[in-house]
Amino acid sequence: MSTTEQTYIMIKPDGVQRGLVGEIIARFEKRGFKLAALKMETPSKELLEKHYGDLADKPFFPKLVKYMLSGPVICMVWEGLDAVKTGRVMLGATNPLASNPGTIRGDYALQVGMNVCHGSDSVENAKKEIELWFNNDVKQYKLDAAQWIYEA
Ligand code: IDP
Ligand code: MG
């Protein structure tokens, strides 16, 4: 059981513009995850093309990059038990119309090209994304509440 798994979560430009930053952070905090890194960033085209490199040959790729360049984003690393998979569950399905209510996309979005947030899809990709966006500069500290989140 790893309570130190980390995931890269990003609030996309629409999430920032729509005032969802606090709400999204609150959901991860309240769930019990530990905030390990946080910044606002206006990413370059090159950075975004690297981040979404696996999708480079998709027809929607240019539109995706344009969307992600449309304003600042919030970059975060959240840490805790099963953080990658649980983060994805909290985000909801890629297409918001297929996302359950109670998920971020299921509560706040309607279209795939405006789906508010990003979350790593595997531990391996989380590692790559944390290196890409934070150069691995994540904080290490003890979350005192952990004793009330994790069983002894
Ligand atoms: P994910 O964000 O749920 O991991 P991916 O398949 O990795 O989904 O796609 C990355 C992002 O590209 C999506 O979050 C969405 O913003 C955008 N995207 C994915 N599929 C489409 C599409 O069919 N049309 C437009 N944008 C898309
Ligand atoms: Mg993805």
Side-chain angles (χ1 to χ4, degrees):
M1 179 179 97
S2 167
T3 59
T4 56
E5 186 172 300
Q6 294 182 329
T7 189
Y8 176 67
I9 300 290
M10 175 164 56
I11 305 173
K12 297 179 174 182
D14 51 330
V16 174
Q17 290 290 346
R18 292 181 53 205
L20 297 173
V21 173
E23 172 68 30
I24 292 168
I25 291 175
R27 287 181 180 221
F28 280 86
E29 276 190 314
K30 289 177 191 171
R31 186 71 191 263
F33 289 111
K34 181 173 101 173
L35 184 60
L38 171 72
K39 67 177 176 182
M40 187 175 228
E41 169 107 15
T42 308
S44 65
K45 193 161 180 273
E46 290 68 34
L47 178 61
L48 290 165
E49 285 172 350
K50 260 191 209 159
H51 174 78
Y52 282 125
D54 293 350
L55 302 173
D57 53 0
K58 300 279 184 200
F60 60 81
F61 186 72
K63 199 176 151 194
L64 170 61
V65 173
K66 194 173 166 212
Y67 159 49
M68 293 300 296
L69 282 169
S70 65
V73 296
I74 301 289
C75 314
M76 298 177 280
V77 177
W78 287 95
E79 183 179 305
L81 186 63
D82 223 357
V84 170
K85 201 173 82 199
T86 308
R88 295 279 295 188
V89 172
M90 289 168 69
L91 259 53
T94 303
N95 182 349
L97 289 184
S99 299
N100 288 324
T103 65
I104 294 165
R105 289 164 175 167
D107 285 346
Y108 302 120
L110 289 170
Q111 287 204 290
V112 71
M114 280 292 176
N115 62 359
V116 172
C117 48
H118 164 84
S120 307
D121 63 3
S122 68
V123 173
E124 191 192 342
N125 281 336
K127 288 193 174 121
K128 283 187 199 160
E129 291 170 5
I130 292 166
E131 186 174 2
L132 182 67
W133 289 88
F134 283 100
N135 202 14
N136 288 331
D137 181 21
V138 297
K139 303 303 174 208
Q140 291 182 7
Y141 64 96
K142 180 172 175 288
L143 184 69
D144 286 330
Q147 62 178 317
W148 302 106
I149 294 163
Y150 296 106
E151 299 164 14

PDB file of all heavy atoms in Angstrom, residues 61-94:
ATOM      1  N   PHE A  61      -5.755  17.500 -32.300  1.00  0.00           N
ATOM      2  CA  PHE A  61      -4.544  17.960 -31.603  1.00  0.00           C
ATOM      3  C   PHE A  61      -4.301  19.475 -31.705  1.00  0.00           C
ATOM      4  O   PHE A  61      -4.078  20.144 -30.689  1.00  0.00           O
ATOM      5  CB  PHE A  61      -3.324  17.171 -32.093  1.00  0.00           C
ATOM      6  CG  PHE A  61      -2.068  17.470 -31.331  1.00  0.00           C
ATOM      7  CD1 PHE A  61      -1.892  17.032 -30.022  1.00  0.00           C
ATOM      8  CD2 PHE A  61      -1.033  18.201 -31.911  1.00  0.00           C
ATOM      9  CE1 PHE A  61      -0.730  17.306 -29.308  1.00  0.00           C
ATOM     10  CE2 PHE A  61       0.130  18.480 -31.211  1.00  0.00           C
ATOM     11  CZ  PHE A  61       0.280  18.029 -29.913  1.00  0.00           C
ATOM     12  N   PRO A  62      -4.365  20.060 -32.929  1.00  0.00           N
ATOM     13  CA  PRO A  62      -4.136  21.521 -33.013  1.00  0.00           C
ATOM     14  C   PRO A  62      -5.141  22.316 -32.177  1.00  0.00           C
ATOM     15  O   PRO A  62      -4.775  23.289 -31.510  1.00  0.00           O
ATOM     16  CB  PRO A  62      -4.306  21.824 -34.512  1.00  0.00           C
ATOM     17  CG  PRO A  62      -4.091  20.507 -35.200  1.00  0.00           C
ATOM     18  CD  PRO A  62      -4.589  19.453 -34.261  1.00  0.00           C
ATOM     19  N   LYS A  63      -6.393  21.863 -32.183  1.00  0.00           N
ATOM     20  CA  LYS A  63      -7.441  22.536 -31.411  1.00  0.00           C
ATOM     21  C   LYS A  63      -7.170  22.401 -29.904  1.00  0.00           C
ATOM     22  O   LYS A  63      -7.376  23.345 -29.133  1.00  0.00           O
ATOM     23  CB  LYS A  63      -8.796  21.897 -31.769  1.00  0.00           C
ATOM     24  CG  LYS A  63      -9.997  22.738 -31.430  1.00  0.00           C
ATOM     25  CD  LYS A  63     -11.288  22.064 -31.902  1.00  0.00           C
ATOM     26  CE  LYS A  63     -12.437  22.481 -31.006  1.00  0.00           C
ATOM     27  NZ  LYS A  63     -13.624  21.648 -31.187  1.00  0.00           N
ATOM     28  N   LEU A  64      -6.699  21.232 -29.527  1.00  0.00           N
ATOM     29  CA  LEU A  64      -6.370  20.983 -28.121  1.00  0.00           C
ATOM     30  C   LEU A  64      -5.245  21.912 -27.645  1.00  0.00           C
ATOM     31  O   LEU A  64      -5.341  22.523 -26.573  1.00  0.00           O
ATOM     32  CB  LEU A  64      -5.965  19.507 -27.949  1.00  0.00           C
ATOM     33  CG  LEU A  64      -5.363  19.087 -26.606  1.00  0.00           C
ATOM     34  CD1 LEU A  64      -6.334  19.310 -25.458  1.00  0.00           C
ATOM     35  CD2 LEU A  64      -4.938  17.612 -26.657  1.00  0.00           C
ATOM     36  N   VAL A  65      -4.215  22.038 -28.455  1.00  0.00           N
ATOM     37  CA  VAL A  65      -3.081  22.904 -28.083  1.00  0.00           C
ATOM     38  C   VAL A  65      -3.552  24.357 -28.009  1.00  0.00           C
ATOM     39  O   VAL A  65      -3.193  25.095 -27.071  1.00  0.00           O
ATOM     40  CB  VAL A  65      -1.902  22.712 -29.064  1.00  0.00           C
ATOM     41  CG1 VAL A  65      -0.803  23.726 -28.794  1.00  0.00           C
ATOM     42  CG2 VAL A  65      -1.346  21.286 -28.955  1.00  0.00           C
ATOM     43  N   LYS A  66      -4.383  24.772 -28.967  1.00  0.00           N
ATOM     44  CA  LYS A  66      -4.905  26.147 -28.971  1.00  0.00           C
ATOM     45  C   LYS A  66      -5.723  26.425 -27.701  1.00  0.00           C
ATOM     46  O   LYS A  66      -5.602  27.467 -27.066  1.00  0.00           O
ATOM     47  CB  LYS A  66      -5.761  26.346 -30.232  1.00  0.00           C
ATOM     48  CG  LYS A  66      -6.072  27.780 -30.525  1.00  0.00           C
ATOM     49  CD  LYS A  66      -6.774  27.939 -31.863  1.00  0.00           C
ATOM     50  CE  LYS A  66      -7.375  29.338 -31.941  1.00  0.00           C
ATOM     51  NZ  LYS A  66      -8.611  29.374 -32.722  1.00  0.00           N
ATOM     52  N   TYR A  67      -6.552  25.478 -27.352  1.00  0.00           N
ATOM     53  CA  TYR A  67      -7.363  25.574 -26.115  1.00  0.00           C
ATOM     54  C   TYR A  67      -6.458  25.728 -24.896  1.00  0.00           C
ATOM     55  O   TYR A  67      -6.651  26.618 -24.057  1.00  0.00           O
ATOM     56  CB  TYR A  67      -8.224  24.315 -26.047  1.00  0.00           C
ATOM     57  CG  TYR A  67      -8.785  23.878 -24.708  1.00  0.00           C
ATOM     58  CD1 TYR A  67      -9.455  24.772 -23.857  1.00  0.00           C
ATOM     59  CD2 TYR A  67      -8.710  22.534 -24.318  1.00  0.00           C
ATOM     60  CE1 TYR A  67      -9.996  24.331 -22.652  1.00  0.00           C
ATOM     61  CE2 TYR A  67      -9.252  22.088 -23.134  1.00  0.00           C
ATOM     62  CZ  TYR A  67      -9.888  22.996 -22.290  1.00  0.00           C
ATOM     63  OH  TYR A  67     -10.428  22.542 -21.111  1.00  0.00           O
ATOM     64  N   MET A  68      -5.443  24.907 -24.824  1.00  0.00           N
ATOM     65  CA  MET A  68      -4.562  24.930 -23.649  1.00  0.00           C
ATOM     66  C   MET A  68      -3.694  26.188 -23.609  1.00  0.00           C
ATOM     67  O   MET A  68      -3.171  26.551 -22.558  1.00  0.00           O
ATOM     68  CB  MET A  68      -3.697  23.673 -23.629  1.00  0.00           C
ATOM     69  CG  MET A  68      -4.472  22.376 -23.407  1.00  0.00           C
ATOM     70  SD  MET A  68      -5.387  22.340 -21.838  1.00  0.00           S
ATOM     71  CE  MET A  68      -4.035  22.424 -20.670  1.00  0.00           C
ATOM     72  N   LEU A  69      -3.555  26.858 -24.779  1.00  0.00           N
ATOM     73  CA  LEU A  69      -2.782  28.104 -24.841  1.00  0.00           C
ATOM     74  C   LEU A  69      -3.653  29.331 -24.570  1.00  0.00           C
ATOM     75  O   LEU A  69      -3.158  30.448 -24.548  1.00  0.00           O
ATOM     76  CB  LEU A  69      -2.141  28.252 -26.229  1.00  0.00           C
ATOM     77  CG  LEU A  69      -0.886  27.438 -26.512  1.00  0.00           C
ATOM     78  CD1 LEU A  69      -0.542  27.505 -27.997  1.00  0.00           C
ATOM     79  CD2 LEU A  69       0.288  27.920 -25.660  1.00  0.00           C
ATOM     80  N   SER A  70      -4.959  29.119 -24.346  1.00  0.00           N
ATOM     81  CA  SER A  70      -5.891  30.242 -24.296  1.00  0.00           C
ATOM     82  C   SER A  70      -5.874  30.994 -22.962  1.00  0.00           C
ATOM     83  O   SER A  70      -6.576  31.992 -22.806  1.00  0.00           O
ATOM     84  CB  SER A  70      -7.306  29.758 -24.625  1.00  0.00           C
ATOM     85  OG  SER A  70      -7.766  28.857 -23.634  1.00  0.00           O
ATOM     86  N   GLY A  71      -5.101  30.540 -21.999  1.00  0.00           N
ATOM     87  CA  GLY A  71      -5.004  31.249 -20.728  1.00  0.00           C
ATOM     88  C   GLY A  71      -4.149  30.463 -19.761  1.00  0.00           C
ATOM     89  O   GLY A  71      -3.736  29.340 -20.070  1.00  0.00           O
ATOM     90  N   PRO A  72      -3.872  31.041 -18.600  1.00  0.00           N
ATOM     91  CA  PRO A  72      -3.039  30.330 -17.630  1.00  0.00           C
ATOM     92  C   PRO A  72      -3.728  29.078 -17.098  1.00  0.00           C
ATOM     93  O   PRO A  72      -4.961  28.984 -17.105  1.00  0.00           O
ATOM     94  CB  PRO A  72      -2.824  31.358 -16.517  1.00  0.00           C
ATOM     95  CG  PRO A  72      -3.913  32.351 -16.671  1.00  0.00           C
ATOM     96  CD  PRO A  72      -4.305  32.366 -18.111  1.00  0.00           C
ATOM     97  N   VAL A  73      -2.917  28.170 -16.648  1.00  0.00           N
ATOM     98  CA  VAL A  73      -3.412  26.925 -16.054  1.00  0.00           C
ATOM     99  C   VAL A  73      -2.867  26.823 -14.623  1.00  0.00           C
ATOM    100  O   VAL A  73      -1.907  27.508 -14.267  1.00  0.00           O
ATOM    101  CB  VAL A  73      -2.972  25.680 -16.872  1.00  0.00           C
ATOM    102  CG1 VAL A  73      -3.578  25.709 -18.265  1.00  0.00           C
ATOM    103  CG2 VAL A  73      -1.445  25.569 -16.947  1.00  0.00           C
ATOM    104  N   ILE A  74      -3.495  25.974 -13.841  1.00  0.00           N
ATOM    105  CA  ILE A  74      -3.012  25.697 -12.486  1.00  0.00           C
ATOM    106  C   ILE A  74      -2.441  24.281 -12.482  1.00  0.00           C
ATOM    107  O   ILE A  74      -3.128  23.325 -12.868  1.00  0.00           O
ATOM    108  CB  ILE A  74      -4.153  25.790 -11.452  1.00  0.00           C
ATOM    109  CG1 ILE A  74      -4.800  27.173 -11.460  1.00  0.00           C
ATOM    110  CG2 ILE A  74      -3.644  25.397 -10.052  1.00  0.00           C
ATOM    111  CD1 ILE A  74      -3.967  28.285 -10.889  1.00  0.00           C
ATOM    112  N   CYS A  75      -1.178  24.179 -12.079  1.00  0.00           N
ATOM    113  CA  CYS A  75      -0.471  22.901 -12.088  1.00  0.00           C
ATOM    114  C   CYS A  75      -0.316  22.409 -10.647  1.00  0.00           C
ATOM    115  O   CYS A  75       0.089  23.186  -9.783  1.00  0.00           O
ATOM    116  CB  CYS A  75       0.926  23.076 -12.681  1.00  0.00           C
ATOM    117  SG  CYS A  75       0.963  24.028 -14.199  1.00  0.00           S
ATOM    118  N   MET A  76      -0.629  21.149 -10.434  1.00  0.00           N
ATOM    119  CA  MET A  76      -0.566  20.620  -9.062  1.00  0.00           C
ATOM    120  C   MET A  76      -0.054  19.194  -9.049  1.00  0.00           C
ATOM    121  O   MET A  76      -0.264  18.441  -9.997  1.00  0.00           O
ATOM    122  CB  MET A  76      -1.980  20.593  -8.455  1.00  0.00           C
ATOM    123  CG  MET A  76      -2.630  21.942  -8.340  1.00  0.00           C
ATOM    124  SD  MET A  76      -4.311  21.822  -7.719  1.00  0.00           S
ATOM    125  CE  MET A  76      -5.199  21.345  -9.189  1.00  0.00           C
ATOM    126  N   VAL A  77       0.577  18.858  -7.937  1.00  0.00           N
ATOM    127  CA  VAL A  77       0.888  17.457  -7.658  1.00  0.00           C
ATOM    128  C   VAL A  77       0.158  17.100  -6.367  1.00  0.00           C
ATOM    129  O   VAL A  77       0.292  17.801  -5.351  1.00  0.00           O
ATOM    130  CB  VAL A  77       2.401  17.229  -7.491  1.00  0.00           C
ATOM    131  CG1 VAL A  77       2.679  15.772  -7.140  1.00  0.00           C
ATOM    132  CG2 VAL A  77       3.143  17.621  -8.770  1.00  0.00           C
ATOM    133  N   TRP A  78      -0.634  16.035  -6.444  1.00  0.00           N
ATOM    134  CA  TRP A  78      -1.361  15.542  -5.272  1.00  0.00           C
ATOM    135  C   TRP A  78      -0.854  14.149  -4.946  1.00  0.00           C
ATOM    136  O   TRP A  78      -0.619  13.342  -5.846  1.00  0.00           O
ATOM    137  CB  TRP A  78      -2.875  15.517  -5.538  1.00  0.00           C
ATOM    138  CG  TRP A  78      -3.472  16.882  -5.561  1.00  0.00           C
ATOM    139  CD1 TRP A  78      -3.699  17.663  -6.660  1.00  0.00           C
ATOM    140  CD2 TRP A  78      -3.898  17.651  -4.430  1.00  0.00           C
ATOM    141  NE1 TRP A  78      -4.242  18.879  -6.288  1.00  0.00           N
ATOM    142  CE2 TRP A  78      -4.376  18.895  -4.919  1.00  0.00           C
ATOM    143  CE3 TRP A  78      -3.919  17.430  -3.053  1.00  0.00           C
ATOM    144  CZ2 TRP A  78      -4.880  19.893  -4.086  1.00  0.00           C
ATOM    145  CZ3 TRP A  78      -4.433  18.427  -2.219  1.00  0.00           C
ATOM    146  CH2 TRP A  78      -4.903  19.642  -2.733  1.00  0.00           C
ATOM    147  N   GLU A  79      -0.717  13.904  -3.664  1.00  0.00           N
ATOM    148  CA  GLU A  79      -0.101  12.660  -3.207  1.00  0.00           C
ATOM    149  C   GLU A  79      -1.018  11.906  -2.248  1.00  0.00           C
ATOM    150  O   GLU A  79      -1.674  12.522  -1.409  1.00  0.00           O
ATOM    151  CB  GLU A  79       1.208  13.029  -2.481  1.00  0.00           C
ATOM    152  CG  GLU A  79       2.015  11.862  -1.997  1.00  0.00           C
ATOM    153  CD  GLU A  79       3.310  12.333  -1.323  1.00  0.00           C
ATOM    154  OE1 GLU A  79       4.084  13.075  -1.967  1.00  0.00           O
ATOM    155  OE2 GLU A  79       3.523  11.975  -0.160  1.00  0.00           O
ATOM    156  N   GLY A  80      -1.019  10.577  -2.386  1.00  0.00           N
ATOM    157  CA  GLY A  80      -1.786   9.767  -1.445  1.00  0.00           C
ATOM    158  C   GLY A  80      -2.113   8.404  -2.025  1.00  0.00           C
ATOM    159  O   GLY A  80      -1.683   8.055  -3.129  1.00  0.00           O
ATOM    160  N   LEU A  81      -2.894   7.653  -1.293  1.00  0.00           N
ATOM    161  CA  LEU A  81      -3.234   6.282  -1.658  1.00  0.00           C
ATOM    162  C   LEU A  81      -3.946   6.228  -3.009  1.00  0.00           C
ATOM    163  O   LEU A  81      -4.979   6.870  -3.187  1.00  0.00           O
ATOM    164  CB  LEU A  81      -4.123   5.680  -0.557  1.00  0.00           C
ATOM    165  CG  LEU A  81      -4.462   4.203  -0.686  1.00  0.00           C
ATOM    166  CD1 LEU A  81      -3.212   3.338  -0.596  1.00  0.00           C
ATOM    167  CD2 LEU A  81      -5.458   3.800   0.416  1.00  0.00           C
ATOM    168  N   ASP A  82      -3.355   5.504  -3.938  1.00  0.00           N
ATOM    169  CA  ASP A  82      -3.969   5.298  -5.253  1.00  0.00           C
ATOM    170  C   ASP A  82      -4.295   6.638  -5.947  1.00  0.00           C
ATOM    171  O   ASP A  82      -5.331   6.777  -6.606  1.00  0.00           O
ATOM    172  CB  ASP A  82      -5.246   4.470  -5.085  1.00  0.00           C
ATOM    173  CG  ASP A  82      -5.373   3.388  -6.146  1.00  0.00           C
ATOM    174  OD1 ASP A  82      -4.510   3.315  -7.041  1.00  0.00           O
ATOM    175  OD2 ASP A  82      -6.348   2.628  -6.099  1.00  0.00           O
ATOM    176  N   ALA A  83      -3.396   7.604  -5.788  1.00  0.00           N
ATOM    177  CA  ALA A  83      -3.679   8.981  -6.232  1.00  0.00           C
ATOM    178  C   ALA A  83      -3.984   9.080  -7.732  1.00  0.00           C
ATOM    179  O   ALA A  83      -4.847   9.859  -8.142  1.00  0.00           O
ATOM    180  CB  ALA A  83      -2.503   9.890  -5.887  1.00  0.00           C
ATOM    181  N   VAL A  84      -3.297   8.274  -8.544  1.00  0.00           N
ATOM    182  CA  VAL A  84      -3.484   8.401  -9.998  1.00  0.00           C
ATOM    183  C   VAL A  84      -4.888   7.950 -10.387  1.00  0.00           C
ATOM    184  O   VAL A  84      -5.645   8.701 -11.024  1.00  0.00           O
ATOM    185  CB  VAL A  84      -2.411   7.584 -10.751  1.00  0.00           C
ATOM    186  CG1 VAL A  84      -2.732   7.509 -12.239  1.00  0.00           C
ATOM    187  CG2 VAL A  84      -1.029   8.205 -10.537  1.00  0.00           C
ATOM    188  N   LYS A  85      -5.231   6.747  -9.990  1.00  0.00           N
ATOM    189  CA  LYS A  85      -6.541   6.196 -10.383  1.00  0.00           C
ATOM    190  C   LYS A  85      -7.686   6.977  -9.724  1.00  0.00           C
ATOM    191  O   LYS A  85      -8.678   7.304 -10.373  1.00  0.00           O
ATOM    192  CB  LYS A  85      -6.615   4.716 -10.013  1.00  0.00           C
ATOM    193  CG  LYS A  85      -7.668   3.967 -10.801  1.00  0.00           C
ATOM    194  CD  LYS A  85      -7.613   2.471 -10.553  1.00  0.00           C
ATOM    195  CE  LYS A  85      -8.354   2.142  -9.274  1.00  0.00           C
ATOM    196  NZ  LYS A  85      -7.999   0.830  -8.731  1.00  0.00           N
ATOM    197  N   THR A  86      -7.513   7.282  -8.456  1.00  0.00           N
ATOM    198  CA  THR A  86      -8.570   8.016  -7.745  1.00  0.00           C
ATOM    199  C   THR A  86      -8.728   9.424  -8.315  1.00  0.00           C
ATOM    200  O   THR A  86      -9.849   9.930  -8.435  1.00  0.00           O
ATOM    201  CB  THR A  86      -8.265   8.064  -6.236  1.00  0.00           C
ATOM    202  OG1 THR A  86      -8.013   6.724  -5.792  1.00  0.00           O
ATOM    203  CG2 THR A  86      -9.428   8.632  -5.451  1.00  0.00           C
ATOM    204  N   GLY A  87      -7.607  10.029  -8.697  1.00  0.00           N
ATOM    205  CA  GLY A  87      -7.671  11.348  -9.332  1.00  0.00           C
ATOM    206  C   GLY A  87      -8.502  11.304 -10.606  1.00  0.00           C
ATOM    207  O   GLY A  87      -9.344  12.168 -10.846  1.00  0.00           O
ATOM    208  N   ARG A  88      -8.293  10.266 -11.402  1.00  0.00           N
ATOM    209  CA  ARG A  88      -9.062  10.122 -12.651  1.00  0.00           C
ATOM    210  C   ARG A  88     -10.552   9.926 -12.357  1.00  0.00           C
ATOM    211  O   ARG A  88     -11.409  10.464 -13.063  1.00  0.00           O
ATOM    212  CB  ARG A  88      -8.544   8.919 -13.455  1.00  0.00           C
ATOM    213  CG  ARG A  88      -7.127   9.062 -13.969  1.00  0.00           C
ATOM    214  CD  ARG A  88      -7.014   9.875 -15.218  1.00  0.00           C
ATOM    215  NE  ARG A  88      -7.651   9.275 -16.361  1.00  0.00           N
ATOM    216  CZ  ARG A  88      -7.535   9.762 -17.605  1.00  0.00           C
ATOM    217  NH1 ARG A  88      -6.793  10.840 -17.834  1.00  0.00           N
ATOM    218  NH2 ARG A  88      -8.147   9.191 -18.605  1.00  0.00           N
ATOM    219  N   VAL A  89     -10.842   9.152 -11.319  1.00  0.00           N
ATOM    220  CA  VAL A  89     -12.253   8.941 -10.952  1.00  0.00           C
ATOM    221  C   VAL A  89     -12.873  10.275 -10.528  1.00  0.00           C
ATOM    222  O   VAL A  89     -14.007  10.600 -10.908  1.00  0.00           O
ATOM    223  CB  VAL A  89     -12.370   7.887  -9.820  1.00  0.00           C
ATOM    224  CG1 VAL A  89     -13.797   7.812  -9.301  1.00  0.00           C
ATOM    225  CG2 VAL A  89     -11.915   6.514 -10.315  1.00  0.00           C
ATOM    226  N   MET A  90     -12.124  11.068  -9.776  1.00  0.00           N
ATOM    227  CA  MET A  90     -12.647  12.367  -9.328  1.00  0.00           C
ATOM    228  C   MET A  90     -12.857  13.329 -10.498  1.00  0.00           C
ATOM    229  O   MET A  90     -13.765  14.158 -10.479  1.00  0.00           O
ATOM    230  CB  MET A  90     -11.691  12.980  -8.298  1.00  0.00           C
ATOM    231  CG  MET A  90     -11.707  12.243  -6.973  1.00  0.00           C
ATOM    232  SD  MET A  90     -10.360  12.727  -5.893  1.00  0.00           S
ATOM    233  CE  MET A  90     -10.824  14.409  -5.467  1.00  0.00           C
ATOM    234  N   LEU A  91     -12.012  13.220 -11.528  1.00  0.00           N
ATOM    235  CA  LEU A  91     -12.162  14.068 -12.720  1.00  0.00           C
ATOM    236  C   LEU A  91     -13.393  13.676 -13.541  1.00  0.00           C
ATOM    237  O   LEU A  91     -14.079  14.527 -14.072  1.00  0.00           O
ATOM    238  CB  LEU A  91     -10.915  13.936 -13.597  1.00  0.00           C
ATOM    239  CG  LEU A  91      -9.868  15.042 -13.536  1.00  0.00           C
ATOM    240  CD1 LEU A  91      -9.437  15.320 -12.112  1.00  0.00           C
ATOM    241  CD2 LEU A  91      -8.656  14.705 -14.390  1.00  0.00           C
ATOM    242  N   GLY A  92     -13.630  12.375 -13.660  1.00  0.00           N
ATOM    243  CA  GLY A  92     -14.716  11.898 -14.519  1.00  0.00           C
ATOM    244  C   GLY A  92     -14.190  11.483 -15.878  1.00  0.00           C
ATOM    245  O   GLY A  92     -12.989  11.526 -16.131  1.00  0.00           O
ATOM    246  N   ALA A  93     -15.095  11.103 -16.762  1.00  0.00           N
ATOM    247  CA  ALA A  93     -14.706  10.636 -18.098  1.00  0.00           C
ATOM    248  C   ALA A  93     -14.192  11.796 -18.944  1.00  0.00           C
ATOM    249  O   ALA A  93     -14.544  12.955 -18.705  1.00  0.00           O
ATOM    250  CB  ALA A  93     -15.898   9.978 -18.773  1.00  0.00           C
ATOM    251  N   THR A  94     -13.386  11.458 -19.951  1.00  0.00           N
ATOM    252  CA  THR A  94     -12.836  12.489 -20.845  1.00  0.00           C
ATOM    253  C   THR A  94     -13.949  13.350 -21.438  1.00  0.00           C
ATOM    254  O   THR A  94     -13.852  14.575 -21.485  1.00  0.00           O
ATOM    255  CB  THR A  94     -12.008  11.816 -21.965  1.00  0.00           C
ATOM    256  OG1 THR A  94     -10.981  11.030 -21.353  1.00  0.00           O
ATOM    257  CG2 THR A  94     -11.387  12.847 -22.885  1.00  0.00           C
TER     258      THR A  94
END
